[in-house]
Amino acid sequence: MSAGFPLVTVLIRPDDEPRVTASIGDRLDASAALFEFASSPEDPSLLRQWAIEHPGTPPADRRCRVLWARFDEADLQRVAEAAINVLSPHARGENEAILAGREVRVTPDEFPWYAHVPLWELVDVP
């Protein structure tokens, strides 16, 4: 992609990429064409996350990809949060519960990810 911003690196199956970009576009009332997955080096941390959250389940054809978006920089956080709400719909609620000191049962992600854009206040799970 010649212009745009990297939002997240994600461990994803090729067949899931169109569904994810369409869902993000729907949340933002924007074209899915504004989003594109691009090649990324394999990331051992995402493979470890997969193995921890999905024990005994091989990653199959999942691979590391960077999700890029063509938006104005002023909209970047809003767009990144919409992407995370699609990729990991429970992440924001888990983060809010941790910040509030409530007990949290972390839900395994369908798509292990990490953000390239600051999101809501992130905390480490103890």
Side-chain angles (χ1 to χ4, degrees), residues 51-91:
I52 290 167
E53 293 180 353
H54 303 273
T57 303
D61 61 345
R62 288 171 183 80
R63 71 246 169 113
C64 289
R65 303 277 281 165
V66 176
L67 177 61
W68 286 78
R70 288 187 289 266
F71 277 86
D72 291 333
E73 191 169 359
D75 292 326
L76 198 53
Q77 183 173 354
R78 178 180 66 84
V79 172
E81 288 180 3
I84 296 307
N85 289 339
V86 168
L87 291 166
S88 183
H90 50 273

Side-chain angles (χ1 to χ4, degrees), residues 37-54:
F37 282 96
S39 296
S40 173
E42 287 302 309
D43 186 323
S45 70
L46 294 179
L47 292 170
R48 274 193 305 278
Q49 181 183 345
W50 177 265
I52 290 167
E53 293 180 353
H54 303 273

Side-chain angles (χ1 to χ4, degrees), residues 3-46:
F5 298 95
L7 300 177
V8 295
T9 296
V10 62
L11 189 66
I12 190 167
R13 297 179 65 181
D15 290 347
D16 290 327
E17 291 178 12
R19 173 175 59 92
V20 168
T21 55
S23 294
I24 297 168
D26 288 349
R27 283 182 180 261
L28 295 168
D29 197 26
S31 169
L34 294 172
F35 303 94
E36 181 179 349
F37 282 96
S39 296
S40 173
E42 287 302 309
D43 186 323
S45 70
L46 294 179

